[in-house]
Amino acid sequence: MVKYLRIYALFFQTLFVIPLAHASQVTKENQWDWVPRESLPKAQQEQISRYCQGTYVDHWKPTNSLDTNLNAKTIYRDKSGVVHLIGDAEVIKPTSTLQANQIEGVPGKYYKTNGNIILRQKGQVIRGTSGYISNDNDSPTEFVDAKFVSIATGQRGAAKSLLRSKNGIIFIYQGYYTTCEPTEDSWKLYGNSIELNPKAGFGTAEDVQLRVHDIPVFYFPWLRFPLTSARQTGFLFPTFGFSGSKGLSLSTPFYWNLAPNYDATITPNIVTNEGNGLDLEIRHLSKYGLTTYEQSTFDEHKSFDSSRPADGAQTLLKFKTDQQFTNNISSGLLYEDNPTENKYPDVNSTSIKQKDNYERSAYLGFNSGNFSSKAIIRTYQTPDPTLDKPFDWKPRIDSSYRYATTYLNYSVDGQYTDFYDPDENNFDGKRSVLNQDISLNLSNAWGTFSPGVLLNYRDYQIHNYKSPDYDTSLNHASVYFDSSVVFERPLLIDGSIWRQTLEPRLSYLNSPYKDQSLIPNFDASVPTLNYSQAFSHQRFNGNDRVGDTEQVTLGIESRLYDGQNRQRWAFKLGQVQYLKDRYVNITGATSQNTPVDTENQSPLLGSVTYTGSNRFSLTGNVNYDVNTHKSNLAQVIIKTRPADYVRLDMSYLYTVGNEDPTNDAKQANVSTIFPVSQDWSMYLQRTYDFFKHQKTKDVAGVGYENCCVKVSLSYQEWLNDNSDMERGVFLLFNLRSLSTVGQNSGEPSVAQDYWNNGQVGY
């Protein structure tokens, strides 16, 4: 990817002007059944977010009477039968209460009201200066200069004229709608006509402005927005961007709710100095599972990079389905494709990303608990012709069975794979595998002893493209035992009785040498040696070669449990003592005259973990060679919460001498999120590679959050897969109950941690 500066920051430029303090709170808010945080009991305060200033508490209380009661200072009925209530007038019904300075009407038909109107029912309050309340199903209830609140959802608004139909639809004329708290006006929808349909779950507005702190920031001729979490057809908020080289970019997603079980999202993309494209996502949910289709297409008419011509059409597509037909039978299909010969849409809102290999696979599975089986066919598309293509599976069949009693454990894993080399320049063939593990479990409260036997069978039919074909097989048996003893003692810490254990471990493995020169490497790999791997019964990952060794592993573990019997600390230290040289590697010829590893002991393998505290957690692994006094692996991850809402994460990774040198690493990462006020936070991150002597990631950002809006603005730099440094300024904001606008870099970072999918907190 070419380096360039992307600025996703122009959507709502006035959104940067967010006050540091909340709007002053007035006593009239209590009239809306709103209770400030400081007036709530402590238990209720702890239940609401720290970003919220209070909560709604419904003061509606139904009456025990089924009759309609009239109260006022003066009540009389005129000659035409109209009842007049003057002075503190009140109409009390079983399901609602109407209050005003004056009320007149015919009970059971209608009421006209004037002065300080309050209509209250369960979960809703409406206020106005005058109104008309009808009991006729054909006539709506109407209020002038009205305000309303839905206590259950937090939706509120105001209008010059407000109508409510008998089916619950609310019409707002020349007014606004928001879900913000009464103390906060972070966003409002102002419109000449706004319709709220709670039963349908959506609202519509005409000639509407989106205002942030009463500042108009966007205009919509027509807008449809959700009132609930239910899916609704309509345009989602667009995404704007600007680049000095690419110009203005615009994405306008349209969500199409085709049916309760399938939908589509269509996103046109325009980049003024480059081209245009279209992204598509279709989802279908059946009673068996989910099916999705995604496609991203971009037509580059002009290259912003003068050193290369325009790419023209660029396309990626993906089809994926997973179905669970019964409790036992499942199937799935995955089809990924790059049909435009190693070109990748740079403007892409789908989940399909640039890859070296695009998978096409299908599977059929059966699982009945102890027994499971799965058949898979898998191929790849490799857009870059210079890269080696992975082996295809035509097919692979996996089966496994588990049997366990108090004293006996038995497992068997079978696998058949027909490998095919799409390049046809080396080898492929068929491989059959049968692995059996039989062990005894002899244990009591203070220790365990588990002897066992591993039986490995391999059969190969190898097809060579440069030499004659051949067949080969391997029948191998290994013996092992694992044992441990547990000692423990009580400890008195801070007036609580803790428990500490001391657990020596001893493991023995004898895997005899067998010549495996003719066995190829389809999927074998060398695992990273650490404390846990030291007690493994296999030297290699995968189902090809069986590693030879005779070794004794010594380990000692100590755990610390608190008064609630929760593990807080775990310390582990171990070492492998090799009794014989090793002669088998994952590739190449094997010979007992040519050892591949002559070390008689492994490095000291240490591990320490701390869990259970909200303030501090630690994970550490280290491999230390006592002969060379050097470490080939050091990993430390520290997460601290030194104060409320302050987060500091640190990690360091050092690993050398890997089978693949590209996996060698020496890098450190530090990230933090900390509040600067009640609603404002800052976040920073830096990742540095000591081998390359350069930073690989830098993030600096600021965030604002209250009960109805969340905003994140960040500057990010990161090293991409082509070792080019990319840079961007990213703005994200979430208008709760309305929409999320903007986009992130897509790189895992502290900016994503703070954003947390727009959810409250991080």
Side-chain angles (χ1 to χ4, degrees), residues 380 389-392 420-425 428 465:
Y380 288 96
K389 299 177 181 179
F391 284 109
D392 293 342
Y420 170 68
D421 179 12
D423 295 318
E424 296 188 348
N425 60 7
D428 50 31
Y465 290 93

Side-chain angles (χ1 to χ4, degrees), residues 3 35 71 111 131 158 162 227 235 238 252 310 327 377 422 437 544 572 689 730 734 737:
K3 294 183 286 185
V35 181
N71 296 322
Y111 292 105
L162 185 146
L227 300 179
F235 281 97
T252 55
N327 292 334
I377 297 174
D437 189 348
D544 285 314
K572 302 176 182 179
D689 191 313
F730 300 91
N734 180 282
S737 303

Side-chain angles (χ1 to χ4, degrees), residues 614-664:
N614 293 327
R615 294 294 186 188
F616 179 79
S617 66
L618 168 69
T619 301
N621 296 286
V622 62
N623 294 356
Y624 180 77
D625 193 319
V626 295
N627 295 321
T628 62
H629 304 289
K630 293 182 179 179
S631 296
N632 63 2
L633 172 68
Q635 181 185 36
V636 180
I637 301 173
I638 298 174
K639 297 182 178 182
T640 64
R641 306 295 183 267
D644 289 344
Y645 311 113
V646 177
R647 167 176 165 174
L648 176 62
D649 297 341
M650 297 174 287
S651 65
Y652 176 79
L653 174 63
Y654 171 81
T655 174
V656 296
N658 292 282
E659 188 77 15
D660 184 354
T662 60
N663 292 331
D664 291 352

Side-chain angles (χ1 to χ4, degrees), residues 300-336:
E300 188 179 272
H301 304 308
K302 176 183 177 183
S303 173
F304 69 90
D305 183 358
S306 59
S307 64
R308 66 169 178 83
D311 282 338
Q314 311 160 26
T315 298
L316 291 175
L317 58 89
K318 176 181 178 181
F319 176 84
K320 188 175 189 296
T321 181
D322 291 286
Q323 307 292 318
Q324 187 75 40
F325 297 108
T326 69
N327 292 334
N328 308 115
I329 300 175
S330 61
S331 72
L333 177 68
L334 174 62
Y335 182 88
E336 297 176 331

Side-chain angles (χ1 to χ4, degrees), residues 341-578:
E341 297 183 358
N342 213 21
K343 299 176 183 178
Y344 309 94
D346 193 48
V347 182
N348 181 358
S349 62
T350 69
S351 68
I352 328 168
K353 303 304 177 186
Q354 179 177 345
K355 297 181 180 180
D356 288 338
N357 303 289
Y358 291 90
E359 182 177 344
R360 289 93 177 267
S361 62
Y363 72 87
L364 178 65
F366 176 83
N367 191 326
S368 63
N370 288 353
F371 174 76
S372 64
S373 186
K374 191 174 187 179
I376 308 170
I377 297 174
R378 189 185 72 180
T379 64
Y380 288 96
Q381 181 215 13
T382 304
D384 188 346
T386 64
L387 296 178
D388 289 335
K389 299 177 181 179
F391 284 109
D392 293 342
W393 298 347
K394 295 188 173 182
R396 166 170 287 185
I397 301 173
D398 285 290
S399 296
S400 64
Y401 176 75
R402 301 289 183 269
Y403 176 78
T405 66
T406 304
Y407 300 106
L408 176 67
N409 292 321
Y410 172 72
S411 65
V412 55
D413 296 292
Q415 184 184 89
Y416 169 81
T417 310
D418 185 354
F419 292 100
Y420 170 68
D421 179 12
D423 295 318
E424 296 188 348
N425 60 7
N426 199 351
F427 68 91
D428 50 31
K430 300 176 176 63
R431 182 186 70 189
S432 300
V433 174
L434 187 66
N435 297 321
Q436 299 179 80
D437 189 348
I438 308 169
S439 64
L440 297 176
N441 183 23
L442 308 174
S443 63
N444 54 31
W446 53 266
T448 64
F449 179 73
S450 180
V453 178
L454 281 176
L455 303 175
N456 302 118
Y457 174 76
R458 311 282 188 267
D459 182 79
Y460 292 85
Q461 301 172 41
I462 302 302
H463 170 62
N464 269 310
Y465 290 93
K466 298 179 181 179
S467 58
D469 298 348
Y470 66 90
D471 296 344
T472 187
S473 63
L474 172 70
N475 208 343
H476 188 278
S478 303
V479 295
Y480 67 87
F481 72 79
D482 298 312
S483 62
S484 65
V485 181
V486 180
F487 303 97
E488 66 175 59
R489 64 170 180 169
L491 295 174
L492 184 63
I493 300 178
D494 295 332
S496 177
I497 298 179
W498 287 41
R499 181 168 57 93
Q500 183 186 18
T501 67
L502 185 66
E503 307 170 39
R505 292 185 62 181
L506 174 65
S507 177
Y508 171 78
L509 171 63
N510 186 357
S511 179
Y513 167 83
K514 280 202 172 183
D515 184 14
Q516 300 172 48
S517 300
L518 295 178
I519 292 180
N521 176 16
F522 286 113
D523 54 19
S525 63
V526 179
T528 300
L529 182 62
N530 53 32
Y531 180 86
S532 298
Q533 177 62 30
F535 292 91
S536 172
H537 303 143
Q538 302 277 3
R539 277 183 56 209
F540 304 132
N541 295 327
N543 277 325
D544 285 314
R545 298 194 173 191
V546 178
D548 63 316
T549 186
E550 185 176 5
Q551 65 187 49
V552 174
T553 304
L554 301 172
I556 187 165
E557 304 177 8
S558 180
R559 292 176 172 82
L560 196 60
Y561 299 87
D562 64 15
Q564 285 74 45
N565 202 35
R566 296 174 300 184
Q567 179 180 299
R568 291 297 185 90
W569 289 93
F571 303 92
K572 302 176 182 179
L573 183 65
Q575 189 177 45
V576 182
Q577 302 293 327
Y578 299 105

Side-chain angles (χ1 to χ4, degrees), residues 70-200:
L70 307 179
N71 296 322
K73 291 182 178 179
T74 302
I75 301 177
Y76 69 92
R77 186 190 301 268
D78 62 22
K79 294 180 180 180
S80 61
V82 176
V83 177
H84 297 262
L85 288 76
I86 303 173
D88 297 334
E90 188 175 28
V91 178
I92 303 174
K93 301 174 68 175
T95 58
S96 65
T97 300
L98 176 64
Q99 298 173 318
N101 291 343
Q102 297 181 11
I103 301 175
E104 65 178 50
V106 178
K109 291 185 178 181
Y110 73 91
Y111 292 105
K112 292 181 180 179
T113 60
N114 188 41
N116 297 322
I117 304 167
I118 304 174
L119 176 62
R120 182 186 292 275
Q121 60 187 41
K122 182 175 177 58
Q124 189 178 77
V125 181
I126 301 176
R127 294 174 178 272
T129 59
S130 62
Y132 178 86
I133 295 90
S134 172
N135 290 325
D136 185 350
N137 291 333
D138 296 330
S139 300
T141 295
E142 182 177 1
F143 296 90
V144 177
D145 294 329
K147 294 182 178 181
F148 74 93
V149 63
S150 175
I151 295 171
T153 62
Q155 299 165 356
R156 62 184 180 91
K160 288 291 184 181
S161 175
L162 185 146
L163 276 71
R164 190 187 68 177
S165 66
K166 292 303 179 182
N167 56 9
I169 298 177
I170 295 176
F171 300 90
I172 299 173
Y173 297 101
Q174 295 184 3
Y176 71 81
Y177 163 83
T178 185
T179 59
C180 294
E181 299 174 297
T183 58
E184 180 63 59
D185 289 330
S186 290
W187 68 266
K188 290 180 179 179
L189 286 178
Y190 277 86
N192 284 330
S193 176
I194 301 175
E195 178 182 325
L196 308 178
N197 191 334
K199 291 184 178 179

